[in-house]
Amino acid sequence: MAGNKRFTIPSVEKMHIEFKEKLIPEIHLRTEKRQKLASQMKYRLENGDGTAVYILGVRDDGTASGITEIELEESLSVLRQVASECGAAIDRVEKFDSNGGLIARVIITTQSRPSVDHLVVSVAGHVNHGKSTFLACLITGERDDGQKWLYLDTLPHEVERNLSADLHFIVLGFRGSEPNFMKNPLDRAERIRVTRESERLVSFVDTVGHEPWLRTTIRGILGQEIDYGFLVVAADDGPTHITREHLGIMLAMDIPVIILVTKIDKVPANRVQAAESEIVSLLKRVGRIPFIVNSVNDVELLVDKVSVVVPVFKISSVTRQGYDLVYHLLRRLPPRAKKKDQPFLLYIDRVYSVEGVGNVVSGSVRQGSLTPGAELLLGPTRKGAYVPVRARSIEMHYTRLAEAEPGYIVGVAVKGVREELLERGMIICDPSLNPVSVRSFEAEVTVLSHPTRISTGYEPIVHIHTIASTTRVKLLDKPYLKAGESGRVEMRFKYRPFYIQPGDKFVFREGKTKGIGVVTKILETG
Ligand SMILES: Nc1nc2c(ncn2[C@@H]2O[C@H](COP(=O)(O)OP(=O)(O)OP(=O)(O)O)[C@@H](O)[C@H]2O)c(=O)[nH]1
Ligand SMILES: [Mg+2]
């Protein structure tokens, strides 16, 4: 035993600190004790501005007694449950070895719930047309000095090549009608501040324009629960074949599109005019109504009609010309209808492991809501099984959440599964969804471009949600399909099953071939 050694924490305001030797579920989770613990925790949280610290393994008088690993686990399970009743959660646990056993410092924080008024916007467009720069200038309120893209492109090979290579997520907040600017978007504390303080949040997904990485661009559009798509077109180049391809994907997915003509400072007015005309005729060719936006009045006119009309803004990130209208639009755009009253479902986009937290999966909430502590299913595995897991905690833009709603792009810490099992394209869901493992399905497809023709045996990559998987195609009503033609097909995932539903839309591609489709029927499962 540690004898009478006193445990002191230097320079900490003691009002939010509680000393406990240990907590025992059988005792401390009984109604009376539990209520007492909860009211004590609320008091500590209030005094600590949303943070409470529990020191375990130390008696009330500050004498270190030390506890075992098992006693610590039990104590943490009590604290976890009580915290969740207080709208809080364990943020981290720091363990120290005392000679008689363990002493742990448990930091509990109130979970702030960001504004329900939340939009998700994906930004696509030709390489170098100014997507990342636009987002950096939008959220900082600054002008482009040629370096602003570095706020988004943080990977070493992105910095080196000045090319976005992966998806990046960033948030713009509004307080009242004013944008809540971030000084430095790379600073986590700034992101948390904006997420906590703002009444409206616009989460942006910055995609990539470099053609060979189309797979990633598609994931930025299909893999998230997008409300609107921004398509960036540089005034000097005008729309390109990549612009058309990204526009085609957004429209096929029924995403309302908004066009930003950037770099208008770089070229004379007649070149801006020419780019504008090219965009107008492109939109007309795909059956959309262009709307050139010149004033706040224009924004007001179109704000609730964006699925019918395609607004075209002319901006410069160097002079910030046109930015005021874009802010006005983002402040006013209505979120699309959300499926909140359905079982929770999220397609895993990324998997990582965080020290002290464990495995984290991230992605957009497709439907339903999620609270920390929820029991979930994760899968399907390669063998078609679903594994029970628990959501330990939820974060959005580094901010802890008490509840995640449809559209939120969140990281969920999951307990109960080995990291090797986790893969992009799997789901986490509420068990009431009763998910199946789909091996083959029927679909209606349209071939957008193909140098020759498609027949049975064709093997494209299919993108559905965050899934990107090789499938084998069997034509059901025609011997072959040419560019521009539609048909009924059977598609079989070649390597492993996934969770998909009738009505899911997808993109398929293989070399120069591109097509779109919708799942009409689930065939083989298991
Ligand atoms: N003159 C001028 N230059 C701009 C403007 N917007 C962006 N740029 C410059 O254009 C270059 C490319 O900008 P990025 O923001 O990296 O382009 P991107 O579309 O994100 O590129 P990828 O993500 O790699 O597809 C940078 O050098 C920017 O400084 C603008 O409005 N005016
Ligand atoms: Mg970029």
Side-chain angles (χ1 to χ4, degrees):
M1 273 299 170
N4 286 335
K5 215 158 88 187
R6 307 282 286 190
F7 186 77
T8 49
I9 309 158
S11 68
V12 187
E13 168 55 67
K14 295 276 168 56
M15 289 297 278
H16 67 297
I17 299 177
E18 182 70 35
F19 289 84
K20 291 269 184 250
E21 189 174 4
K22 62 187 169 200
L23 295 163
I24 304 163
E26 293 78 34
I27 298 173
H28 293 97
L29 289 179
R30 288 223 187 104
T31 318
E32 208 176 296
K33 286 268 187 199
R34 185 185 182 130
Q35 280 169 355
K36 198 169 158 221
L37 267 177
S39 53
Q40 197 180 46
M41 191 181 285
K42 276 184 194 143
Y43 174 77
R44 300 284 180 211
L45 285 166
E46 271 164 30
N47 277 300
D49 265 344
T51 300
V53 179
Y54 279 71
I55 311 288
L56 299 172
V58 177
R59 296 198 190 97
D60 258 354
D61 63 359
T63 322
S65 55
I67 51 173
T68 65
E69 277 285 354
I70 294 173
E71 287 171 329
L72 174 61
E73 269 312 309
E74 288 187 344
S75 304
L76 290 177
S77 83
V78 172
L79 285 179
R80 205 172 283 126
Q81 292 197 37
V82 174
S84 122
E85 277 172 31
C86 300
I90 295 178
D91 187 62
R92 57 183 194 277
V93 180
E94 294 159 3
K95 288 194 257 182
F96 312 94
D97 266 327
S98 109
N99 12 353
L102 286 172
I103 290 174
R105 188 164 179 262
V106 186
I107 292 97
I108 295 174
T109 52
T110 308
Q111 300 172 313
S112 86
R113 188 189 147 146
S115 147
V116 200
D117 193 10
H118 181 240
L119 283 185
V120 183
V121 176
S122 231
V123 183
H126 190 101
V127 63
N128 257 326
H129 274 201
K131 301 176 284 297
S132 304
T133 303
F134 160 70
L135 287 178
C137 296
L138 190 77
I139 57 171
T140 56
E142 292 171 8
R143 292 164 195 269
D144 182 33
D145 53 4
Q147 300 290 311
K148 290 288 180 280
W149 54 274
L150 284 162
Y151 279 143
L152 275 299
D153 295 341
T154 47
L155 303 172
H157 56 288
E158 291 181 321
V159 175
E160 201 175 296
R161 294 179 67 188
N162 186 355
L163 274 183
S164 300
D166 202 350
L167 303 181
H168 291 280
F169 299 86
I170 197 83
V171 63
L172 170 71
F174 284 99
R175 294 181 88 174
S177 59
E178 291 306 310
N180 192 357
F181 293 128
M182 266 182 227
K183 280 199 184 65
N184 178 4
L186 301 176
D187 180 353
R188 274 182 185 218
E190 277 281 277
R191 292 203 192 195
I192 294 173
R193 178 184 64 76
V194 167
T195 308
R196 284 213 165 127
E197 291 178 346
S198 305
E199 290 138 28
R200 162 168 271 219
L201 292 175
V202 187
S203 292
F204 285 98
V205 186
D206 186 20
T207 72
V208 306
H210 191 45
E211 199 172 8
W213 299 329
L214 180 64
R215 179 193 185 97
T216 305
T217 318
I218 293 177
R219 187 159 63 81
I221 300 171
L222 271 69
Q224 323 297 326
E225 195 63 19
I226 301 294
D227 292 284
Y228 296 93
F230 273 20
L231 187 62
V232 170
V233 185
D236 49 352
D237 281 354
T240 67
H241 71 286
I242 296 181
T243 313
R244 285 195 292 277
E245 195 157 281
H246 294 179
L247 175 68
I249 294 169
M250 285 178 174
L251 295 180
M253 296 300 126
D254 281 337
I255 296 169
V257 175
I258 292 146
I259 293 187
L260 301 179
V261 180
T262 51
K263 308 197 187 185
I264 59 168
D265 60 282
K266 216 177 156 185
V267 288
N270 62 345
R271 180 58 212 143
V272 177
Q273 187 62 44
E276 187 183 301
S277 311
E278 289 166 44
I279 290 165
V280 166
S281 45
L282 168 62
L283 290 171
K284 286 185 176 159
R285 270 207 307 281
V286 294
R288 303 290 147 148
I289 308 163
F291 190 134
I292 310 291
V293 183
N294 287 312
S295 66
V296 169
N297 234 355
D298 288 347
V299 176
E300 287 298 326
L301 276 176
L302 64 79
V303 79
D304 53 357
K305 302 179 187 64
V306 177
S307 49
V308 185
V309 300
V310 177
V312 181
F313 289 79
K314 288 168 282 182
I315 63 162
S316 159
S317 296
V318 170
T319 65
R320 291 183 65 82
Q321 197 184 332
Y323 265 65
D324 50 340
L325 298 181
V326 178
Y327 287 118
H328 193 74
L329 175 86
L330 290 169
R331 180 159 54 226
R332 299 276 291 114
L333 275 177
R336 293 215 287 169
K338 299 280 155 68
K339 301 182 212 160
K340 199 174 173 196
D341 302 325
Q342 294 186 14
F344 166 74
L345 170 64
L346 175 149
Y347 278 85
I348 297 175
D349 183 32
R350 284 169 306 160
V351 173
Y352 42 95
S353 152
V354 177
E355 183 136 0
V357 176
N359 293 326
V360 175
V361 296
S362 71
S364 301
V365 180
R366 291 274 150 187
Q367 60 178 51
S369 56
L370 177 69
T371 48
E375 304 289 342
L376 304 170
L377 289 178
L378 183 146
T381 60
R382 287 182 166 254
K383 291 185 175 154
Y386 285 88
V387 185
V389 293
R390 208 165 60 80
R392 292 166 70 147
S393 59
I394 311 167
E395 272 193 10
M396 175 163 80
H397 302 301
Y398 303 115
T399 312
R400 283 287 178 116
L401 299 188
E403 187 180 21
E405 297 183 13
Y408 285 16
I409 301 172
V410 290
V412 182
V414 288
K415 195 179 177 183
V417 64
R418 280 176 293 121
E419 195 184 350
E420 313 88 78
L421 214 63
L422 297 170
E423 280 182 71
R424 174 176 293 154
M426 293 168 94
I427 61 164
I428 50 171
C429 69
D430 190 89
S432 65
L433 186 74
N434 287 323
V436 288
S437 307
V438 178
R439 294 192 182 266
S440 69
F441 59 95
E442 211 175 282
E444 284 285 335
V445 297
T446 302
V447 181
L448 300 177
S449 57
H450 193 283
T452 56
R453 57 194 197 179
I454 289 172
S455 51
T456 292
Y458 170 63
E459 291 192 349
I461 292 177
V462 164
H463 297 264
I464 312 182
H465 305 293
T466 58
I467 302 166
S469 179
T470 307
T471 55
R472 198 178 158 82
V473 175
K474 186 171 150 194
L475 270 60
L476 297 178
D477 59 355
K478 288 178 188 154
Y480 55 82
L481 288 174
K482 290 187 301 198
E485 290 184 346
S486 301
R488 209 158 55 84
V489 299
E490 180 186 320
M491 297 181 108
R492 174 172 294 274
F493 291 121
K494 212 173 160 194
Y495 302 111
R496 53 165 301 157
F498 290 102
Y499 176 73
I500 55 167
Q501 290 166 288
D504 282 352
K505 298 198 175 90
F506 59 87
V507 171
F508 62 92
R509 61 183 187 91
E510 187 255 338
K512 289 204 180 312
T513 308
K514 309 269 159 41
I516 53 170
V518 58
V519 177
T520 50
K521 197 167 155 191
I522 302 304
L523 298 174
E524 191 191 328
T525 61

